[in-house]
Amino acid sequence: MAHDGSDGDPPEPPEPAPDREPGSSTATDPAAEAEPGLKANAIGFLDALVIGLNSTSPAYSLAAVIGPIVALAGIYAPGVMLASFVPMLLIAAAFYYLNKVDQDCGTTFSWVTRAMGPWAGWLGGWAIAMTGVLVIGSLADVAVHFGLLAAGLDGWAANEALRQSLTVVVILAMTAVCVIGTEMSARLQDVLILAQVFFLLAFAVVALYRVYAGTSSLDGTRPALEWLNPFGAGGAALTGGLLLGVFIYWGWESAVNLTEEVENSATAPGKAGIWSTVVLLVTYLSVGFAVVGYAGTEFLAANAGEEEAVFAVLAHEVMGGWDWMVLLAVCTSALASTQTTIIPASRTALSMARRHALPPKLSHIHPRFRTPDVSTWWVAGIAIVWYLAVNQISENALLDSLTALSLLISFYYALTGLACAVYYRRHLLESVHNFLLIGLGPVVGAGLLAWLLVQSVGDMSDPENSAGGVSWFGLGPPLVIGIGIAVVGVLVMCFWRIRDGRFWQERRGVADPALVHAVRKPPPGSPRSSPPS
């Protein structure tokens, strides 16, 4: 059935099936019906946009990867950042269109289940939850470390026991904010993103001014548009840079995980995700030009192994006695991301539990705050255990666990892009718009990320490419961590399939043209009828 209307908009999606409304558990479960759902319309589009931005932790992400990217691509580092944006934008489009058809806080888990079946959907949900577990502790650690440096407490920052203790306190505090309410979380995020953006822009402006004034204290060079060429340093540099780019853009979809709590839930969260990637691109290119222009490629490449510590050095070089501003930017960035990274993991666990894909206790909603309190505290607790455990192994083990993130991120992003085309397959030939933005774009994004996943596996298999060059079972530790998480996920999935098989009775679906036509634009004031199950 052709899509009526000439505006090129995608087909109006069907309502979620009546046996599983967003924000509620299965209607056939009387106990579940008595529980409150997530708080609808708790935040608006701008709040969702801010949360999506803060989830990526822009200042921390730049601090962590600017050195390695310059080591690979030299002056063409901004071009590599630009190229990394392409697959993220394509996958953001997939999130937008899938959210229109299913406003479920489980995002990838729910959508892939609809399009490709419960087995693939479960693994997608597991990957999202595990990314939170791997990174929350590291983000909180960076927030504590840079906060102490900004306060001039360098001795405290060097004390590992004290820093780890404060990190645990930060995780618990941010978790409490997430549980108390989405509105409170959004207000805190507004403050943190304003501070972060202000400090970053101040740093970039001062650095560029000193470059053009000829007062750079390092071997600087004036920026040129040629730096935006992603192929300038060769294909190998682009490949390595794209792998790093997956990390610096990851996290924008946290806005979509709040879909059941955002006003205009069918469109606003998806738009927030797309705009997040665009704002991130502008931020990364601005700071990238400033950093490369001021410091030069030799300094950044020589200090690439220092990761976020390079930003601390650059802050002093550029800002002098005002370097605390940049240190505080990284601190607020990591602090904000600690909180927002809890959101997708906890909401995904909630969605999986209310679909009987995980223990039902994880679907509990706090009666007063109307947030997923049980799943939120569980995510925080597991993240704390992971953070403390890997730190007992070595500091390199913590870095290796972060490197393993790219495997999980590439997997569930690619799965989401593919699910978009599969679910909308009956609509893809209705218009050029649908074919390009709902079909081809997400599939190309999925293909790029699948290619990066394969490249990552090959790169991580060599122990020499890991932090410290350590070997685990003849492989790089990041790959071993990634394989371990995958194996544990399959075992948990099989165990729960035997324990409670209700979720695995769900069948794949499709955005059926007849149902789309039936729910398109009901008369004003009339209840929107649900499609037949």
Side-chain angles (χ1 to χ4, degrees):
M1 180 178 295
H3 170 46
D4 56 6
S6 58
D7 57 357
D9 286 340
E12 189 75 18
E15 293 281 351
D19 63 341
R20 187 182 56 78
E21 293 291 336
S24 66
S25 298
T26 307
T28 55
D29 184 351
E33 284 185 339
E35 293 185 359
L38 294 171
K39 188 174 183 179
N41 301 321
I43 59 175
F45 167 79
L46 289 177
D47 294 320
L49 174 64
V50 166
I51 288 174
L53 289 172
N54 271 331
S55 293
T56 64
S57 190
Y60 165 66
S61 298
L62 277 171
V65 305
I66 188 67
I69 288 181
V70 171
L72 288 167
I75 60 173
Y76 300 103
V80 170
M81 293 181 185
L82 177 62
S84 302
F85 165 74
V86 175
M88 291 299 103
L89 180 63
L90 296 175
I91 297 302
F95 271 76
Y96 172 76
Y97 289 113
L98 285 169
N99 182 69
K100 292 192 73 172
V101 82
D102 183 11
Q103 293 92 57
D104 189 296
C105 66
T107 59
T108 294
F109 159 72
S110 181
W111 303 333
V112 174
T113 298
R114 276 177 174 263
M116 303 168 68
W119 294 96
W122 199 99
L123 290 174
W126 175 259
I128 294 176
M130 288 301 102
T131 55
V133 167
L134 289 180
V135 78
I136 287 171
S138 176
L139 289 169
D141 185 284
V142 170
V144 169
H145 183 71
F146 273 79
L148 293 174
L149 290 179
L153 301 174
D154 296 28
W156 289 24
N159 187 320
E160 291 190 10
L162 176 61
R163 193 179 73 247
Q164 291 177 23
S165 299
L166 291 175
T167 296
V168 172
V169 172
V170 166
I171 295 174
L172 294 175
M174 292 297 99
T175 305
V177 171
C178 289
V179 170
I180 290 173
T182 307
E183 299 102 318
M184 181 178 179
S185 298
R187 298 292 85 76
L188 177 60
Q189 292 298 318
D190 290 344
V191 174
L192 293 176
I193 193 66
L194 286 174
Q196 183 180 167
V197 170
F198 173 78
F199 292 143
L200 280 177
L201 289 178
F203 170 79
V205 168
V206 173
L208 289 174
Y209 170 79
R210 294 189 62 182
V211 168
Y212 283 98
T215 60
S216 172
S217 59
L218 298 173
D219 187 19
T221 180
R222 292 194 174 189
L225 287 178
E226 180 189 2
W227 294 4
L228 289 175
N229 178 12
F231 302 99
L238 178 60
T239 300
L242 286 173
L243 291 173
L244 294 170
V246 170
F247 174 75
I248 65 173
Y249 285 101
W250 167 66
W252 49 264
E253 76 275 11
S254 291
V256 191
N257 285 102
L258 291 169
T259 182
E260 297 174 27
E261 301 154 86
V262 179
E263 297 172 358
N264 301 318
S265 62
T267 56
K271 288 180 180 178
I274 292 174
W275 276 105
S276 294
T277 62
V278 175
V279 174
L280 286 170
L281 173 66
V282 174
T283 303
Y284 289 157
L285 290 183
S286 300
V287 179
F289 269 105
V291 168
V292 176
Y294 186 90
T297 57
E298 291 186 9
F299 172 84
L300 293 171
N303 292 274
E306 298 297 325
E307 297 189 327
E308 64 267 8
V310 174
F311 235 39
V313 175
L314 285 175
H316 181 71
E317 292 286 342
V318 174
M319 308 292 287
W322 291 85
D323 59 349
W324 59 268
M325 295 179 65
V326 180
L327 299 175
L328 200 57
V330 178
C331 171
T332 56
S333 175
L335 187 65
S337 192
T338 301
Q339 179 199 337
T340 52
T341 303
I342 297 172
I343 291 173
S346 62
R347 264 59 175 184
T348 299
L350 162 67
S351 180
M352 295 177 75
R354 70 188 181 192
R355 296 273 284 274
H356 307 288
L358 283 178
K361 288 185 178 180
L362 293 174
S363 67
H364 182 265
I365 303 294
H366 194 285
R368 176 185 174 189
F369 302 126
R370 294 178 66 181
T371 55
D373 55 339
V374 174
S375 62
T376 301
W377 284 114
W378 264 101
V379 167
I382 297 173
I384 289 173
V385 170
W386 177 266
Y387 166 74
L388 295 176
V390 295
N391 266 299
Q392 294 305 311
I393 299 173
S394 69
E395 184 178 354
N396 288 336
L398 182 62
L399 297 176
D400 287 329
S401 69
L402 294 180
T403 305
L405 274 176
S406 63
L407 299 175
L408 300 177
I409 298 168
S410 298
F411 172 72
Y412 80 79
Y413 274 174
L415 205 58
T416 307
L418 185 59
C420 182
V422 171
Y423 194 75
Y424 275 104
R425 60 187 179 273
R426 294 185 184 176
H427 296 286
L428 298 182
L429 299 181
E430 291 179 357
S431 68
V432 174
H433 173 279
N434 288 6
F435 177 75
L436 292 178
L437 297 185
I438 306 178
L440 183 62
V443 168
V444 170
L448 288 172
L449 289 165
W451 171 67
L452 289 174
L453 177 62
V454 173
Q455 292 290 325
S456 295
V457 170
D459 185 56
M460 294 178 191
S461 63
D462 185 356
E464 292 299 321
N465 293 327
S466 65
V470 180
S471 173
W472 289 1
F473 307 106
L475 301 171
L479 182 58
V480 174
I481 292 171
I483 293 173
I485 290 174
V487 170
V488 170
V490 171
L491 292 176
V492 172
M493 179 176 62
C494 293
F495 168 78
W496 198 251
R497 169 67 178 84
I498 296 171
R499 179 76 178 271
D500 185 347
R502 283 177 287 179
F503 169 67
W504 281 268
Q505 294 174 7
E506 296 193 20
R507 295 293 179 263
R508 289 178 294 175
V510 65
D512 186 75
L515 299 181
V516 171
H517 180 74
V519 300
R520 183 180 291 121
K521 297 180 180 178
S526 65
R528 185 165 181 157
S529 59
S530 297
S533 58

